[in-house]
Amino acid sequence: MTDSFITDLLPQLAGGAAHTHALGFAFEGLEGDRVRIRVPYRADLVGDPGTGVLAGGLVTTLLDHVGGLAVWVKLGGFKPVATLDLRVDYMRAAEAGRDLIAEARCFQMTRSIAFVRAWAFEDSPDNPAAASQAAYVIETTGGRPVGANLRTAKGTV
């Protein structure tokens, strides 16, 4: 993995897309193969105004996004990926008024699929508010157009 990927591109991928920027996602760092991002607590991200707890959809989005970052860390650079499967287990409500941190690690990869585990927490991954397991499809066409492997009756595309 190149230093420029870590210092330049990975932080942009963490919070530079329109939706991640709007949600306030920010790159927190990389420790080994574990990547971390943070979403600062904001009133407009609360799901239940009575409790002040962040919306569950925000937590799911955070875990999905940090999972994709973990795939790029494992790949050592950017390549298109898409979420194939995502399971989120909510273990407790996130603490009201607190930032939420997500950490993920890509623990297995095939030629076309990456498998990731992630956690969302306030202080430590040992006390998660939610955890996820996900599978991501990795683009493997090598830049060929969709359908390039199909042949017509005359043997051409």
Side-chain angles (χ1 to χ4, degrees):
M1 184 173 342
T2 65
D3 289 339
S4 65
F5 175 70
I6 298 300
T7 60
D8 300 334
L9 189 57
L10 198 56
Q12 289 178 34
L13 292 169
H19 76 287
T20 59
H21 179 72
L23 294 172
F25 290 6
F27 181 68
E28 280 287 298
L30 183 66
E31 186 174 318
D33 62 353
R34 293 175 186 252
V35 63
R36 269 191 189 187
I37 60 176
R38 174 185 300 268
V39 61
Y41 184 88
R42 295 189 335 229
D44 64 321
L45 300 177
V46 168
D48 180 359
T51 63
V53 172
L54 293 170
L58 172 72
V59 177
T60 298
T61 302
L62 184 68
L63 290 168
D64 186 29
H65 192 63
V66 78
L69 294 176
V71 173
W72 291 323
V73 167
K74 185 81 164 185
L75 288 168
F78 178 80
K79 194 175 204 181
V81 299
T83 307
L84 177 64
D85 183 51
L86 175 66
R87 174 195 167 112
V88 178
D89 293 313
Y90 292 91
M91 291 166 251
R92 61 176 176 81
E95 295 175 22
R98 303 274 316 270
D99 292 359
L100 200 58
I101 300 165
E103 180 177 283
R105 177 178 176 267
C106 180
F107 65 92
Q108 183 70 26
M109 188 176 294
T110 70
R111 185 179 65 80
S112 59
I113 306 288
F115 300 92
V116 175
R117 291 191 180 114
W119 308 263
F121 53 91
E122 296 86 7
D123 296 312
S124 168
D126 295 333
N127 185 25
S132 68
Q133 177 139 336
Y136 297 83
V137 176
I138 304 165
E139 189 276 328
T140 60
T141 64
R144 295 180 314 165
V146 174
N149 62 328
L150 302 176
R151 301 200 181 269
T152 66
K154 293 184 179 185
T156 60
V157 177

